[in-house]
Amino acid sequence: MDKINSLQNAHVKAWKKLQTKKGRKQQGQYLLEGWHLVNEAVKAHVSVQTLLITEKQLATAPDLTKFPAVIEISEEVAKHISATVTPQGVFALAKLPAVKADPLSDLDLSRPWLLLDNVQDPGNIGTMVRTADAAGFAGVAFGTGTVDLHQPKVERSMQGSQFHLQLVSTDLNALVAKMQAAGIPVYGSELNPRASQYLEINAPACFGLIMGNEGNGMDAELLTRTDRNLYIPIKGRAESLNVAVAAGILMFGLYR
Amino acid sequence: MDKINSLQNAHVKAWKKLQTKKGRKQQGQYLLEGWHLVNEAVKAHVSVQTLLITEKQLATAPDLTKFPAVIEISEEVAKHISATVTPQGVFALAKLPAVKADPLSDLDLSRPWLLLDNVQDPGNIGTMVRTADAAGFAGVAFGTGTVDLHQPKVERSMQGSQFHLQLVSTDLNALVAKMQAAGIPVYGSELNPRASQYLEINAPACFGLIMGNEGNGMDAELLTRTDRNLYIPIKGRAESLNVAVAAGILMFGLYR
């Protein structure tokens, strides 16, 4: 088994670059961090190419030494390539899925989809994917402008739900058009005079629900394309809801 | 107007200590940070004793120079006393409310209450208080073990909702007993075989809803005291929901 201790090692430099979208694209790989995510990836038959593990973690899982593609790394290397302050010390290098000619082919349109329009906070994104999973949604679409789905903090905060539903990166206008052509309604979520109270909606088995940017809400043009626009009634004096909380209320409220 | 530039200044050392519960108790004060919170505090007639402001921020609000209790601070001091990485440069020193002989007197029991049992993440707590405000709840009780409500990160993440509803720090067993003595039901939130689906509940105008610790859930003894215990049905394969998202679904689902 190879051991890598130095931050000057060329592999370490390459792994560090996986924190950026450019680095992931160039190397065709992304990094999954922590036992929970690595185990979920293996269960989901994600193409894991190499495991990176510290001596301390390897001691807890001695069977791994038989696995061909394991590299032992120092605590220093673990800290360097980690997106967290206190890394657990186990990582998987996973193969980026091939870019499809049509990212919208093979979508499961039998159940609802969550569409993320320019959402910026990795924690919010991960929480929404996890909630969509819990609510029984078929998938989540990452619109242009939304943080990349293979960004390490996004991967971490999805806590395994990324392996339970379909995730696509796409221009949301194209997905909305495809859904509507199939007779599937798409709901916006923006508080404006023409919006409907979400509990008044009888949502069908499949629909699209768009959540917008944390500060600025939904893209104005995308909003004009929705079938309806929904709001959550605010009874108190809070100015707004956290986007992930609002998404949870809407997903569980519309799809029971 | 006084100006303070040095981190060695005795006031600066005292303000820094307001980040700890001990420091707040000793000085009888807490710190609110950022224009939004400071403005909300003033609107809510919170007893603001002194404003601390950088030269740059003071230039945007020249009328403040007429206010007697304003101290100009350097960017370095602002950074030192701030709980954020990039402080805005404006703070209010607010007076801690007097400790009541009976923290449970004067509670508004005409509308629901959210009870936080050993919740640890300041962001989750703030988001839940904000959501309780939006849902029209009367108040939020911070149980023993839950992070202190005047902790700077908790204050920040409440985004002004701390001034819109009643907040109390209390032993939750005492609050539950008080509510039940008044005929008000208290619902737990823990997935176990005796739990009821939340949508099957016809909640009255006032009820208590307890949210537990992020990892360990509710305190076992407290759970035995609830009138009913609720769960949110998970349709997909997510293991759990984020506590703030679950609280949002339950609050908006039970109180319409």
Side-chain angles (χ1 to χ4, degrees), chain A residues 36 127 130-131 133-135 163-164 199 232-242 245 248-249 252 255-256, chain B residues 36 40 127 130-131 133-135 163-164 199 232-242 245 248-249 252 255-256:
Chain A
H36 179 68
T127 302
R130 195 175 149 199
T131 309
D133 178 11
F163 308 121
H164 302 161
L199 288 170
I232 299 170
I234 303 282
K235 288 189 185 172
R237 288 188 285 148
E239 285 169 20
S240 63
L241 288 163
N242 166 278
V245 171
I249 294 168
F252 276 86
Y255 191 59
R256 295 190 184 158
Chain B
H36 179 68
E40 289 273 337
T127 302
R130 196 175 148 200
T131 308
D133 178 11
F163 308 121
H164 301 161
L199 288 170
I232 298 170
I234 303 279
K235 289 189 184 173
R237 289 189 283 149
E239 285 168 19
S240 64
L241 286 164
N242 165 279
V245 172
I249 293 168
F252 276 87
Y255 190 60
R256 295 193 185 158

Side-chain angles (χ1 to χ4, degrees), chain A residues 32-228:
Chain A
L32 291 164
E33 178 170 355
W35 281 115
H36 179 68
L37 267 193
V38 171
N39 283 330
E40 288 273 336
V42 170
K43 266 197 274 178
H45 307 290
V46 166
S47 174
V48 169
Q49 303 184 307
T50 310
L51 283 174
L52 313 176
I53 190 163
T54 59
E55 187 181 0
K56 192 172 152 193
Q57 290 302 318
L58 193 57
T60 70
D63 282 356
L64 279 184
T65 51
K66 296 173 199 157
F67 191 70
V70 179
I71 299 176
E72 191 186 310
I73 56 174
S74 65
E75 298 286 342
E76 192 188 22
V77 169
K79 195 142 193 163
H80 186 65
I81 64 174
S82 171
T84 71
V85 181
T86 49
Q88 217 175 24
V90 60
F91 303 82
L93 288 168
K95 192 179 171 186
L96 271 188
V99 176
K100 286 184 188 172
D102 175 11
L104 301 184
S105 60
D106 306 323
L107 297 188
D108 173 4
L109 295 180
S110 68
R111 288 176 294 137
W113 276 75
L114 177 67
L115 282 59
L116 304 180
D117 174 26
N118 205 18
V119 182
Q120 292 305 308
D121 182 78
N124 283 338
I125 295 171
T127 302
M128 285 192 274
V129 170
R130 195 175 149 199
T131 309
D133 178 11
F137 275 40
V140 180
F142 285 58
T144 319
T146 291
V147 174
D148 183 47
L149 72 94
H150 295 297
Q151 206 252 42
K153 284 186 189 170
V154 174
E155 289 282 358
R156 256 179 67 83
S157 67
M158 292 193 283
Q159 294 195 15
S161 286
Q162 61 265 60
F163 308 121
H164 302 161
L165 29 66
Q166 293 188 320
L167 301 182
V168 290
S169 295
T170 178
D171 170 24
L172 293 185
N173 290 295
L175 177 55
V176 169
K178 185 184 173 100
M179 295 182 97
Q180 289 172 333
I184 295 167
V186 177
Y187 306 125
S189 57
E190 179 128 325
L191 189 55
N192 68 29
R194 283 160 297 137
S196 313
Q197 220 260 53
Y198 77 107
L199 288 170
E200 290 165 6
I201 299 291
N202 259 322
C206 182
F207 58 86
L209 171 67
I210 308 176
M211 299 305 298
N213 175 267
E214 288 90 343
N216 303 319
M218 276 182 61
D219 176 73
E221 198 199 318
L222 191 61
L223 191 58
T224 65
R225 296 174 191 248
T226 58
D227 292 274
R228 293 184 86 157

Side-chain angles (χ1 to χ4, degrees), chain B residues 148-212:
Chain B
D148 181 49
L149 72 93
H150 294 298
Q151 205 251 43
K153 283 186 189 170
V154 173
E155 289 282 359
R156 256 180 67 82
S157 68
M158 293 193 281
Q159 295 196 15
S161 286
Q162 61 265 61
F163 308 121
H164 301 161
L165 28 67
Q166 293 188 322
L167 301 183
V168 290
S169 295
T170 179
D171 170 25
L172 294 186
N173 290 296
L175 176 56
V176 168
K178 186 184 173 100
M179 295 181 97
Q180 288 172 335
I184 295 167
V186 177
Y187 306 125
S189 57
E190 180 128 323
L191 189 55
N192 69 29
R194 284 160 297 139
S196 313
Q197 219 260 53
Y198 77 107
L199 288 170
E200 289 164 6
I201 299 291
N202 259 323
C206 183
F207 58 87
L209 170 67
I210 308 177
M211 300 305 300

